Amino acid sequence: MSSQNYDYKDQNLQDQSFVGQDLSGIDFSGTDLRGCDFTRAILVGANFERVVTGQTQQQINTAILSIIMGAIAMIGIIAILSYVVIMIDNQLFLLFGETYRKISGIFSSILLFMLYFFQGNIFKLFPKTSSFFGNSSLSILFALMLFLTLGLAVISFTGGGESFLLLIPMVISAIVTFKVFTWLIESIKSRIGTSFKKANLTNANFTHTLIENTDFSFALLTGICIDGWMLDSHTLFANSQCDYLYWNPQRERYPHDNNFQADELKKFLSKFIKN
C-alpha cells in the first residue's frame, strides 16, 4: 500500500506502526518517531531531518510491568520452594546435627564462590538470555538471588552455632544480586524503541537527527545523508547493507571512491555515538 500523499512533517507519531508500507519520499522532518515500527517499510528518499527516535514512556512502562509481574510470580514459587527446603533442612539437621550445617555451609560457599569468580562469563551470556526470554527472565533471576541473600542473612544471624560461617556466602550472594539488578536496569535502558529493521532507506535524509534505541538491522542504508546526526550505543546496525553514504552538508560521499568493506560501516558510524 502506497502512502505517497501523506505528509508527517512536525507531527507526534509516537508508537505508530508503518510495518511494510511504501513511504518513499515522504516528509517526516521534525517528527517524534519514538516507539514507531517501520519494519520492512519502503522509505526510499524519505526525509527524516531533525527527527527523534527511541523509546516512549509507554514502552518503558510495559518493560517495567513485565519485570514486576515476572518477579511477583517468582516470589510465589520461591515462597513455596523455600518452605519445602526449610522442612527438609530441619529434618537433615535433626538427623546429622552440626555436621550437616558445616557440610551444607561448605558446599554453599563453594557454589557461590564459583558464581562470583565466573560471573564475567555468566554475564556475557546475559544479553542472549534476556533477548530470548525477555526481561522477565532477569527479574526472576534477581528475585532468586535476592531471596537467597536474605535467606542466608536470616540463617547467619539467627541460626546460632556456626551459622555465622554463612556470612561469607551471604556477602558474595549480595554482590551477585547487585550485579543482576544493574543488568536488569541496563536491559530496560537498552530496549529497542524505534525499528527500521529490514527497511529500505536508500537515499533517505537523516540530517541532524537524534537516533536512540533504534534498530537498523538488515536495513538498506546506501546513500543516506547523516550530516549532524547523533547515535547512542544502544542503536543496532547488525547486518545492515550500505555501499556508501553522505556525511556532511556538502553531501560528500564516503567512502570517496569505493564502497564500504566488511565491518567498515560499523567503525565509521561509531564516530557519531554520543557520550
Side-chain angles (χ1 to χ4, degrees):
M1 177 179 178
S2 177
S3 299
Q4 293 287 344
N5 296 324
Y6 293 159
D7 184 349
Y8 296 108
K9 183 177 181 180
D10 296 321
Q11 294 186 30
N12 184 347
L13 299 177
Q14 287 189 15
D15 297 311
Q16 297 295 313
S17 176
F18 300 94
V19 174
Q21 295 187 31
D22 184 353
L23 301 164
S24 298
I26 299 300
D27 187 3
F28 289 96
S29 60
T31 60
D32 187 342
L33 298 180
R34 287 177 292 179
C36 288
D37 189 356
F38 291 95
T39 301
R40 299 188 307 278
I42 301 174
L43 297 156
V44 177
N47 183 14
F48 293 100
E49 183 178 359
R50 297 180 290 103
V51 304
V52 177
T53 68
Q55 297 185 74
T56 61
Q57 190 60 49
Q58 179 179 341
Q59 289 176 316
I60 296 174
N61 292 341
T62 300
I64 294 175
L65 181 61
S66 69
I67 290 172
I68 293 174
M69 295 301 293
I72 291 175
M74 197 60 196
I75 286 173
I77 296 174
I78 292 175
I80 296 173
L81 292 177
S82 298
Y83 176 78
V84 174
V85 170
I86 290 173
M87 293 297 100
I88 296 174
D89 180 74
N90 289 336
Q91 291 299 318
L92 290 174
F93 179 71
L94 291 175
L95 290 173
F96 302 104
E98 289 298 329
T99 302
Y100 164 70
R101 283 281 187 260
K102 293 179 181 179
I103 294 175
S104 62
I106 292 172
F107 274 107
S108 61
S109 297
I110 292 174
L111 177 62
L112 287 169
F113 270 116
M114 291 178 63
L115 185 61
Y116 177 74
F117 286 112
F118 289 100
Q119 61 178 298
N121 294 328
I122 293 172
F123 281 99
K124 285 181 181 178
L125 297 176
F126 265 24
K128 296 179 181 179
T129 303
S130 61
S131 63
F132 184 79
F133 292 104
N135 285 332
S136 295
S137 63
L138 293 177
S139 66
I140 289 172
L141 181 58
F142 174 69
L144 282 169
M145 293 306 304
L146 182 61
F147 265 75
L148 176 60
T149 303
L150 294 176
L152 289 172
V154 171
I155 295 174
S156 299
F157 292 108
T158 63
E162 297 183 2
S163 297
F164 69 91
L165 294 174
L166 294 176
L167 284 173
I168 295 177
M170 182 204 71
V171 172
I172 297 174
S173 179
I175 294 173
V176 175
T177 301
F178 178 74
K179 291 279 190 178
V180 175
F181 177 73
T182 56
W183 185 265
L184 186 59
I185 298 300
E186 181 61 26
S187 71
I188 296 175
K189 292 181 179 180
S190 63
R191 285 173 63 92
I192 292 300
T194 303
S195 176
F196 288 103
K197 189 173 184 178
K198 298 183 180 179
N200 186 347
L201 292 161
T202 303
N203 295 324
N205 179 17
F206 283 93
T207 302
H208 300 294
T209 56
L210 178 59
I211 307 294
E212 296 180 337
N213 298 79
T214 301
D215 188 1
F216 288 100
S217 299
F218 299 96
L220 300 178
L221 304 176
T222 297
I224 64 172
C225 182
I226 61 171
D227 172 38
W229 81 344
M230 297 179 66
L231 306 174
D232 73 346
S233 58
H234 302 309
T235 294
L236 305 178
F237 290 94
N239 298 301
S240 58
Q241 300 179 37
C242 182
D243 293 335
Y244 60 89
L245 48 75
Y246 301 101
W247 67 288
N248 60 20
Q250 291 74 37
R251 294 186 65 83
E252 182 179 353
R253 185 186 189 275
Y254 189 90
H256 302 294
D257 300 315
N258 302 314
N259 293 334
F260 280 114
Q261 302 301 311
D263 296 326
E264 188 178 358
L265 174 64
K266 183 178 180 181
K267 293 179 181 178
F268 179 76
L269 293 177
S270 65
K271 301 176 182 179
F272 298 90
I273 296 177
K274 59 186 178 71
N275 297 322

